[in-house]
Coordinates of all heavy atoms in Angstrom, one line a residue:
M23 N -26.9 15.9 -17.1 CA -27.2 15.4 -15.8 C -26.3 14.2 -15.5 O -26.3 13.3 -16.3 CB -28.7 15.1 -15.6 CG -29.0 14.7 -14.1 SD -30.8 14.8 -13.9 CE -31.1 13.1 -13.4
K24 N -25.5 14.3 -14.4 CA -24.6 13.2 -14.0 C -25.3 12.1 -13.2 O -26.0 12.4 -12.3 CB -23.5 13.7 -13.2 CG -22.4 12.7 -12.9 CD -21.2 13.4 -12.2 CE -20.3 12.4 -11.8 NZ -19.2 12.9 -10.9
K25 N -25.2 10.8 -13.6 CA -25.8 9.8 -12.9 C -24.8 9.1 -12.0 O -23.6 8.9 -12.4 CB -26.4 8.7 -13.9 CG -27.6 9.2 -14.6 CD -28.2 8.1 -15.4 CE -29.5 8.6 -16.1 NZ -30.1 7.5 -16.9
N26 N -25.1 8.7 -10.9 CA -24.3 7.9 -10.0 C -24.7 6.4 -10.1 O -25.8 6.1 -9.9 CB -24.4 8.4 -8.5 CG -23.8 9.8 -8.4 OD1 -22.8 10.1 -9.0 ND2 -24.3 10.6 -7.5
Y27 N -23.7 5.6 -10.3 CA -23.9 4.2 -10.3 C -23.2 3.6 -9.2 O -22.1 4.0 -8.8 CB -23.3 3.6 -11.6 CG -24.0 4.1 -12.8 CD1 -23.5 5.1 -13.6 CD2 -25.2 3.5 -13.2 CE1 -24.1 5.6 -14.7 CE2 -25.8 3.9 -14.4 CZ -25.3 4.9 -15.1 OH -26.0 5.4 -16.3
F28 N -23.8 2.6 -8.5 CA -23.2 1.9 -7.4 C -23.7 0.4 -7.4 O -24.7 0.2 -8.0 CB -23.5 2.6 -6.1 CG -25.0 2.8 -5.8 CD1 -25.7 1.8 -5.2 CD2 -25.7 3.9 -6.3 CE1 -27.1 2.0 -5.0 CE2 -27.0 4.1 -6.0 CZ -27.7 3.1 -5.4
M29 N -22.9 -0.4 -6.7 CA -23.3 -1.8 -6.7 C -24.2 -2.1 -5.5 O -24.1 -1.4 -4.5 CB -22.0 -2.6 -6.6 CG -21.1 -2.4 -7.9 SD -19.8 -3.6 -8.0 CE -20.6 -5.1 -8.1
V30 N -25.0 -3.1 -5.6 CA -25.9 -3.4 -4.5 C -25.6 -4.8 -3.9 O -25.0 -5.6 -4.6 CB -27.4 -3.3 -4.9 CG1 -27.8 -1.9 -5.3 CG2 -27.6 -4.4 -6.1
C31 N -25.9 -4.9 -2.7 CA -25.6 -6.1 -1.9 C -26.5 -7.3 -2.5 O -27.7 -7.2 -2.8 CB -26.1 -5.9 -0.5 SG -25.9 -7.4 0.6
E32 N -25.8 -8.5 -2.7 CA -26.5 -9.7 -3.2 C -27.6 -10.2 -2.2 O -28.6 -10.7 -2.6 CB -25.5 -10.8 -3.4 CG -24.8 -10.6 -4.7 CD -23.9 -11.9 -4.9 OE1 -24.1 -12.9 -4.2 OE2 -23.0 -11.8 -5.8
R33 N -27.4 -10.0 -0.9 CA -28.2 -10.5 0.1 C -29.4 -9.6 0.4 O -30.5 -10.1 0.5 CB -27.4 -10.7 1.4 CG -28.2 -11.5 2.5 CD -27.4 -11.6 3.7 NE -26.3 -12.4 3.6 CZ -25.3 -12.4 4.6 NH1 -25.3 -11.7 5.7 NH2 -24.2 -13.1 4.4
C34 N -29.2 -8.3 0.6 CA -30.3 -7.4 1.0 C -30.6 -6.3 0.0 O -31.6 -5.6 0.2 CB -30.0 -6.8 2.4 SG -28.7 -5.5 2.3
G35 N -29.8 -6.1 -1.1 CA -30.1 -5.1 -2.1 C -29.7 -3.8 -1.7 O -30.1 -2.8 -2.5
R36 N -29.1 -3.5 -0.6 CA -28.7 -2.2 -0.2 C -27.4 -1.8 -0.9 O -26.7 -2.7 -1.4 CB -28.6 -2.1 1.3 CG -29.9 -2.4 2.0 CD -30.5 -1.1 2.5 NE -31.9 -1.3 3.0 CZ -32.2 -1.6 4.3 NH1 -31.3 -1.8 5.2 NH2 -33.5 -1.8 4.6
R37 N -27.0 -0.6 -0.8 CA -25.8 -0.1 -1.4 C -24.5 -0.7 -0.7 O -24.4 -0.7 0.5 CB -25.8 1.4 -1.3 CG -24.7 2.1 -2.0 CD -24.8 3.6 -2.0 NE -23.7 4.2 -2.7 CZ -23.7 5.4 -3.0 NH1 -24.8 6.2 -2.8 NH2 -22.7 6.0 -3.6
L38 N -23.5 -1.0 -1.5 CA -22.2 -1.5 -1.0 C -21.2 -0.4 -0.9 O -21.3 0.6 -1.7 CB -21.7 -2.6 -1.9 CG -22.5 -3.8 -2.1 CD1 -21.9 -4.8 -3.1 CD2 -22.5 -4.6 -0.8
E39 N -20.4 -0.4 0.0 CA -19.3 0.6 0.2 C -18.0 -0.1 0.0 O -17.8 -1.3 0.3 CB -19.4 1.3 1.5 CG -19.4 0.3 2.7 CD -19.7 1.1 4.0 OE1 -20.4 2.0 4.0 OE2 -19.1 0.6 5.1
R40 N -16.9 0.7 -0.4 CA -15.7 0.2 -0.7 C -15.0 -0.2 0.7 O -15.2 0.5 1.7 CB -14.8 1.2 -1.4 CG -15.2 1.5 -2.8 CD -14.3 2.5 -3.4 NE -14.7 2.8 -4.8 CZ -14.1 2.4 -5.8 NH1 -13.0 1.6 -5.7 NH2 -14.5 2.6 -7.0
L41 N -14.1 -1.2 0.6 CA -13.5 -1.8 1.8 C -12.0 -1.8 1.4 O -11.6 -2.3 0.4 CB -14.0 -3.2 2.1 CG -13.1 -4.1 2.9 CD1 -13.1 -3.7 4.4 CD2 -13.7 -5.5 2.8
K42 N -11.1 -1.3 2.3 CA -9.7 -1.4 2.1 C -9.1 -1.4 3.5 O -9.1 -0.4 4.2 CB -9.2 -0.3 1.3 CG -7.6 -0.5 1.0 CD -7.2 0.4 -0.2 CE -5.8 0.1 -0.6 NZ -4.9 -0.4 0.4
E43 N -8.6 -2.6 3.9 CA -8.0 -2.8 5.2 C -6.7 -3.6 5.0 O -6.7 -4.7 4.7 CB -8.9 -3.5 6.2 CG -10.1 -2.7 6.5 CD -11.2 -3.5 7.3 OE1 -10.8 -4.7 7.7 OE2 -12.3 -3.0 7.6
G44 N -5.5 -2.9 5.2 CA -4.3 -3.6 5.0 C -4.1 -4.1 3.6 O -4.2 -3.3 2.7
S45 N -3.9 -5.4 3.4 CA -3.8 -5.9 2.1 C -5.1 -6.5 1.5 O -5.1 -7.2 0.5 CB -2.7 -6.9 2.0 OG -2.9 -8.0 2.9
A46 N -6.2 -6.2 2.2 CA -7.5 -6.7 1.6 C -8.3 -5.5 1.1 O -8.3 -4.4 1.6 CB -8.3 -7.3 2.8
Q47 N -9.0 -5.7 0.0 CA -9.8 -4.7 -0.7 C -11.1 -5.4 -1.2 O -11.1 -6.5 -1.5 CB -9.1 -4.0 -1.7 CG -8.8 -4.8 -3.0 CD -8.2 -4.1 -4.1 OE1 -7.9 -2.9 -4.0 NE2 -7.9 -4.7 -5.2
G48 N -12.2 -4.6 -1.3 CA -13.3 -5.2 -1.8 C -14.5 -4.3 -1.6 O -14.5 -3.1 -1.5
L49 N -15.8 -5.0 -1.4 CA -17.0 -4.2 -1.2 C -17.7 -4.9 0.0 O -17.6 -6.0 0.3 CB -17.9 -4.4 -2.4 CG -17.3 -3.8 -3.7 CD1 -18.2 -4.2 -4.9 CD2 -17.3 -2.2 -3.6
R50 N -18.3 -4.0 0.8 CA -19.0 -4.5 2.0 C -20.4 -3.8 2.1 O -20.5 -2.6 1.9 CB -18.2 -4.2 3.2 CG -18.8 -4.5 4.5 CD -18.0 -4.3 5.8 NE -17.2 -3.1 5.8 CZ -16.0 -3.0 6.4 NH1 -15.5 -4.0 7.1 NH2 -15.3 -1.9 6.3
C51 N -21.3 -4.5 2.6 CA -22.6 -4.0 2.9 C -22.7 -3.5 4.3 O -22.4 -4.3 5.3 CB -23.8 -5.0 2.6 SG -25.4 -4.4 3.0
A52 N -22.9 -2.3 4.5 CA -23.0 -1.7 5.9 C -24.2 -2.1 6.6 O -24.3 -2.1 7.9 CB -22.9 -0.2 5.9
D53 N -25.2 -2.6 5.9 CA -26.5 -3.0 6.6 C -26.5 -4.5 7.1 O -26.8 -4.7 8.2 CB -27.7 -2.8 5.6 CG -27.9 -1.4 5.3 OD1 -28.1 -0.6 6.2 OD2 -27.8 -1.0 4.1
C54 N -26.0 -5.4 6.2 CA -26.1 -6.8 6.6 C -24.7 -7.5 6.8 O -24.6 -8.6 7.3 CB -26.9 -7.6 5.6 SG -26.0 -8.0 4.1
G55 N -23.6 -6.8 6.4 CA -22.3 -7.2 6.7 C -21.8 -8.2 5.5 O -20.6 -8.6 5.6
W56 N -22.5 -8.4 4.5 CA -22.1 -9.2 3.3 C -20.9 -8.5 2.7 O -20.9 -7.3 2.7 CB -23.2 -9.3 2.4 CG -22.8 -10.2 1.2 CD1 -23.0 -11.6 1.0 CD2 -22.2 -9.8 -0.1 NE1 -22.5 -12.0 -0.2 CE2 -22.1 -10.9 -0.9 CE3 -21.9 -8.5 -0.6 CZ2 -21.5 -10.8 -2.2 CZ3 -21.3 -8.4 -1.9 CH2 -21.1 -9.6 -2.6
S57 N -19.9 -9.3 2.3 CA -18.8 -8.6 1.7 C -18.1 -9.6 0.7 O -18.3 -10.8 0.7 CB -17.7 -8.2 2.8 OG -17.3 -9.4 3.4
V58 N -17.4 -9.0 -0.2 CA -16.6 -9.7 -1.2 C -15.2 -9.0 -1.2 O -15.1 -7.8 -1.3 CB -17.2 -9.8 -2.6 CG1 -17.4 -8.4 -3.2 CG2 -16.4 -10.6 -3.5
V59 N -14.1 -9.8 -1.0 CA -12.8 -9.2 -0.9 C -11.8 -9.9 -1.7 O -12.0 -11.1 -2.1 CB -12.3 -9.2 0.6 CG1 -13.1 -8.3 1.4 CG2 -12.2 -10.6 1.1
T60 N -10.7 -9.3 -2.1 CA -9.6 -9.8 -2.8 C -8.3 -9.2 -2.2 O -8.4 -8.3 -1.4 CB -9.8 -9.5 -4.3 OG1 -8.7 -10.2 -5.0 CG2 -9.6 -8.0 -4.6
T61 N -7.2 -9.8 -2.5 CA -6.0 -9.3 -2.1 C -5.5 -8.1 -2.9 O -5.5 -8.1 -4.1 CB -4.9 -10.4 -2.1 OG1 -5.4 -11.5 -1.4 CG2 -3.6 -9.9 -1.5
H62 N -5.1 -7.1 -2.2 CA -4.4 -6.0 -2.8 C -3.0 -5.9 -2.4 O -2.6 -5.8 -1.2 CB -5.1 -4.6 -2.3 CG -4.3 -3.4 -2.7 ND1 -4.3 -2.9 -4.0 CD2 -3.5 -2.6 -2.1 CE1 -3.6 -1.9 -4.2 NE2 -3.0 -1.6 -2.9
I63 N -2.1 -6.0 -3.4 CA -0.7 -5.9 -3.1 C -0.2 -4.6 -3.7 O -0.3 -4.4 -5.0 CB 0.1 -7.1 -3.7 CG1 -0.5 -8.4 -3.1 CG2 1.6 -7.0 -3.5 CD1 0.0 -9.7 -3.8
S64 N 0.4 -3.7 -3.0 CA 0.8 -2.5 -3.5 C 2.0 -2.7 -4.5 O 2.7 -3.6 -4.5 CB 1.3 -1.5 -2.4 OG 2.5 -2.0 -1.8
G65 N 2.0 -1.7 -5.5 CA 3.0 -1.8 -6.6 C 4.4 -1.9 -6.1 O 5.2 -2.6 -6.7
I66 N 4.7 -1.3 -5.0 CA 6.1 -1.2 -4.5 C 6.5 -2.6 -4.1 O 7.7 -3.0 -4.1 CB 6.3 -0.2 -3.4 CG1 7.7 0.1 -3.2 CG2 5.6 -0.7 -2.1 CD1 8.0 1.3 -2.3
K67 N 5.6 -3.5 -3.6 CA 5.9 -4.8 -3.2 C 6.1 -5.8 -4.3 O 6.7 -6.9 -4.1 CB 4.8 -5.4 -2.2 CG 4.8 -4.6 -0.9 CD 3.8 -5.2 0.0 CE 3.9 -4.4 1.4 NZ 2.8 -4.9 2.3
V68 N 5.6 -5.5 -5.5 CA 5.8 -6.4 -6.6 C 6.7 -5.9 -7.7 O 7.0 -6.5 -8.7 CB 4.4 -6.8 -7.3 CG1 3.5 -7.5 -6.4 CG2 3.7 -5.5 -7.8
D69 N 7.3 -4.7 -7.4 CA 8.3 -4.1 -8.3 C 9.6 -4.9 -8.2 O 10.2 -5.0 -7.2 CB 8.6 -2.6 -7.8 CG 9.5 -1.9 -8.8 OD1 9.8 -2.5 -9.8 OD2 9.8 -0.7 -8.5
E70 N 10.0 -5.5 -9.4 CA 11.2 -6.2 -9.5 C 12.3 -5.5 -10.2 O 13.4 -6.0 -10.5 CB 10.9 -7.5 -10.2 CG 10.0 -8.4 -9.5 CD 9.7 -9.8 -10.2 OE1 10.3 -10.0 -11.2 OE2 9.0 -10.6 -9.6
T71 N 12.1 -4.2 -10.4 CA 13.1 -3.3 -10.9 C 14.3 -3.2 -10.0 O 14.2 -3.1 -8.8 CB 12.6 -1.9 -11.2 OG1 11.4 -2.0 -12.0 CG2 13.6 -1.0 -11.9
K72 N 15.5 -3.3 -10.6 CA 16.7 -3.2 -9.7 C 17.1 -1.7 -9.7 O 17.2 -1.1 -10.8 CB 17.9 -4.1 -10.3 CG 17.6 -5.5 -10.1 CD 18.8 -6.4 -10.5 CE 18.5 -7.8 -10.2 NZ 19.6 -8.7 -10.4
Y73 N 17.2 -1.2 -8.6 CA 17.6 0.2 -8.4 C 19.0 0.3 -7.8 O 19.5 -0.6 -7.1 CB 16.7 0.9 -7.4 CG 15.2 1.0 -7.9 CD1 14.3 0.0 -7.6 CD2 14.9 2.0 -8.8 CE1 13.0 0.1 -8.0 CE2 13.6 2.1 -9.2 CZ 12.7 1.1 -8.9 OH 11.4 1.2 -9.3
E74 N 19.7 1.3 -8.2 CA 21.1 1.6 -7.6 C 21.0 2.9 -6.8 O 20.6 3.9 -7.4 CB 22.1 1.8 -8.7 CG 23.5 1.9 -8.2 CD 24.5 2.0 -9.3 OE1 24.4 1.2 -10.3 OE2 25.4 2.8 -9.2
V75 N 21.3 2.8 -5.5 CA 21.3 3.9 -4.6 C 22.7 4.3 -4.3 O 23.5 3.4 -3.9 CB 20.5 3.5 -3.4 CG1 20.4 4.7 -2.4 CG2 19.1 3.1 -3.7
S76 N 23.0 5.5 -4.4 CA 24.3 6.0 -4.0 C 24.2 7.3 -3.2 O 23.2 7.9 -3.2 CB 25.2 6.2 -5.2 OG 24.7 7.2 -6.0
C77 N 25.2 7.5 -2.4 CA 25.2 8.8 -1.6 C 26.6 9.3 -1.5 O 27.6 8.6 -1.8 CB 24.7 8.5 -0.2 SG 25.7 7.4 0.8
G78 N 26.7 10.6 -1.3 CA 28.0 11.3 -1.2 C 28.2 11.7 0.2 O 27.3 12.0 1.0
G79 N 29.5 11.8 0.6 CA 29.7 12.3 2.0 C 31.2 12.3 2.2 O 32.0 12.0 1.3
D80 N 31.6 12.7 3.4 CA 33.0 12.8 3.7 C 33.4 11.6 4.5 O 32.9 11.3 5.5 CB 33.2 14.1 4.6 CG 34.6 14.3 5.0 OD1 35.5 13.5 4.7 OD2 34.9 15.2 5.8
Y81 N 34.3 10.8 3.9 CA 34.7 9.5 4.6 C 35.5 9.7 5.9 O 35.7 8.8 6.6 CB 35.4 8.6 3.6 CG 36.9 9.1 3.3 CD1 37.9 8.7 4.1 CD2 37.1 10.0 2.2 CE1 39.2 9.1 3.8 CE2 38.3 10.4 1.9 CZ 39.4 10.0 2.7 OH 40.7 10.5 2.4
K82 N 35.9 11.0 6.1 CA 36.6 11.3 7.4 C 35.6 11.8 8.5 O 36.0 11.9 9.6 CB 37.6 12.4 7.1 CG 38.7 11.9 6.2 CD 39.7 13.1 6.0 CE 40.8 12.6 5.0 NZ 41.6 13.7 4.6
N83 N 34.4 12.0 8.0 CA 33.4 12.6 9.0 C 32.6 11.4 9.6 O 32.0 10.6 9.0 CB 32.4 13.4 8.2 CG 31.4 14.1 9.2 OD1 30.8 13.4 10.0 ND2 31.1 15.3 8.9
E84 N 32.8 11.2 11.0 CA 32.2 10.1 11.7 C 30.7 10.0 11.5 O 30.1 8.9 11.4 CB 32.5 10.2 13.1 CG 32.1 8.9 13.9 CD 32.5 9.0 15.4 OE1 33.7 9.4 15.7 OE2 31.7 8.6 16.2
A85 N 30.0 11.1 11.5 CA 28.5 11.2 11.4 C 28.1 10.7 10.1 O 27.1 9.9 9.9 CB 28.0 12.6 11.6
H86 N 28.9 11.0 9.0 CA 28.5 10.5 7.6 C 28.7 9.0 7.6 O 27.9 8.3 7.0 CB 29.4 11.2 6.6 CG 29.1 12.6 6.4 ND1 29.6 13.4 5.4 CD2 28.4 13.5 7.1 CE1 29.2 14.6 5.5 NE2 28.4 14.7 6.5
I87 N 29.8 8.5 8.1 CA 30.1 7.1 8.1 C 29.0 6.3 8.9 O 28.5 5.3 8.5 CB 31.5 6.7 8.6 CG1 32.5 7.4 7.7 CG2 31.7 5.2 8.8 CD1 33.9 7.4 8.3
R88 N 28.6 6.8 10.0 CA 27.6 6.2 10.9 C 26.3 6.1 10.1 O 25.5 5.2 10.1 CB 27.4 6.9 12.2 CG 28.5 6.6 13.2 CD 28.1 7.1 14.6 NE 29.2 7.0 15.5 CZ 29.5 5.9 16.1 NH1 28.8 4.8 15.9 NH2 30.5 5.8 16.9
A89 N 26.0 7.2 9.4 CA 24.7 7.3 8.6 C 24.7 6.2 7.6 O 23.7 5.5 7.4 CB 24.5 8.7 8.1
V90 N 25.8 6.1 6.8 CA 25.9 5.1 5.8 C 25.8 3.7 6.4 O 25.1 2.8 5.9 CB 27.2 5.3 4.9 CG1 27.4 4.2 4.0 CG2 27.1 6.6 4.2
S91 N 26.5 3.5 7.5 CA 26.5 2.2 8.2 C 25.1 1.8 8.6 O 24.7 0.7 8.4 CB 27.5 2.3 9.4 OG 27.3 1.1 10.2
E92 N 24.3 2.7 9.1 CA 23.0 2.5 9.6 C 22.1 2.1 8.4 O 21.3 1.2 8.5 CB 22.5 3.7 10.3 CG 21.2 3.4 11.1 CD 20.9 4.6 12.0 OE1 21.8 5.2 12.7 OE2 19.7 5.0 12.0
V93 N 22.2 2.9 7.3 CA 21.3 2.6 6.2 C 21.7 1.3 5.5 O 20.7 0.6 5.1 CB 21.4 3.9 5.2 CG1 20.7 3.5 3.9 CG2 20.9 5.1 5.8
T94 N 22.9 1.0 5.4 CA 23.3 -0.2 4.6 C 23.3 -1.4 5.5 O 23.3 -2.5 4.9 CB 24.7 0.0 4.0 OG1 25.6 0.2 5.1 CG2 24.7 1.1 3.0
G95 N 23.4 -1.3 6.8 CA 23.4 -2.4 7.7 C 24.8 -3.0 7.9 O 25.0 -4.0 8.4
Y96 N 25.8 -2.3 7.3 CA 27.2 -2.7 7.5 C 27.8 -2.1 8.8 O 27.4 -1.0 9.3 CB 28.1 -2.3 6.3 CG 27.8 -3.1 5.1 CD1 27.1 -2.4 4.0 CD2 28.1 -4.4 4.9 CE1 26.9 -3.1 2.8 CE2 27.8 -5.1 3.8 CZ 27.2 -4.4 2.7 OH 26.9 -5.2 1.6
N97 N 28.7 -2.8 9.4 CA 29.4 -2.4 10.6 C 30.1 -1.1 10.4 O 30.6 -0.8 9.3 CB 30.3 -3.4 11.1 CG 29.6 -4.6 11.7 OD1 28.5 -4.5 12.1 ND2 30.3 -5.7 11.7
F98 N 30.1 -0.3 11.5 CA 30.8 1.0 11.5 C 32.3 0.7 11.7 O 32.7 0.0 12.5 CB 30.3 1.9 12.6 CG 31.1 3.1 12.8 CD1 31.2 4.1 11.8 CD2 31.7 3.4 14.0 CE1 31.9 5.2 11.9 CE2 32.4 4.6 14.2 CZ 32.5 5.5 13.1
Ligands
ZN115 ZN1 -26.6 -6.4 2.6

């Protein structure tokens, strides 16, 4: 038989539900509004790995050059 465990509110003793809004995460009581939150920073924002991105295309094709210009932020 599988048991379900859940945390209870410090204030009223009712069940807490997970909270995730933007960069905040935590637990919230739906009955009295008590909550405990912490900052959630997604892995992609703290990733310090250096990546190298390259693309292939025809340097004589205007659409290709414009696409590269737009992505890199360099003038066409
Ligand atoms: Zn509560």
Side-chain angles (χ1 to χ4, degrees):
M23 186 164 120
K24 184 179 177 184
K25 290 185 176 182
N26 288 327
Y27 295 98
F28 55 90
M29 298 189 65
V30 295
C31 176
E32 283 187 9
R33 190 185 293 166
C34 71
R36 302 252 170 93
R37 186 175 178 164
L38 296 174
E39 56 188 31
R40 289 180 184 258
L41 157 73
K42 186 162 186 331
E43 295 174 5
S45 58
Q47 68 177 1
L49 299 168
R50 174 176 41 209
C51 176
D53 292 306
C54 75
W56 181 89
S57 64
V58 59
V59 295
T60 187
T61 304
H62 169 74
I63 301 172
S64 70
I66 197 166
K67 291 184 178 174
V68 293
D69 184 5
E70 294 183 358
T71 305
K72 292 187 177 187
Y73 296 93
E74 183 176 321
V75 179
S76 62
C77 63
D80 180 1
Y81 70 91
K82 295 178 184 172
N83 184 317
E84 187 178 317
H86 289 192
I87 296 170
R88 283 190 186 280
V90 172
S91 171
E92 196 171 311
V93 171
T94 61
Y96 290 111
N97 286 337
F98 172 61

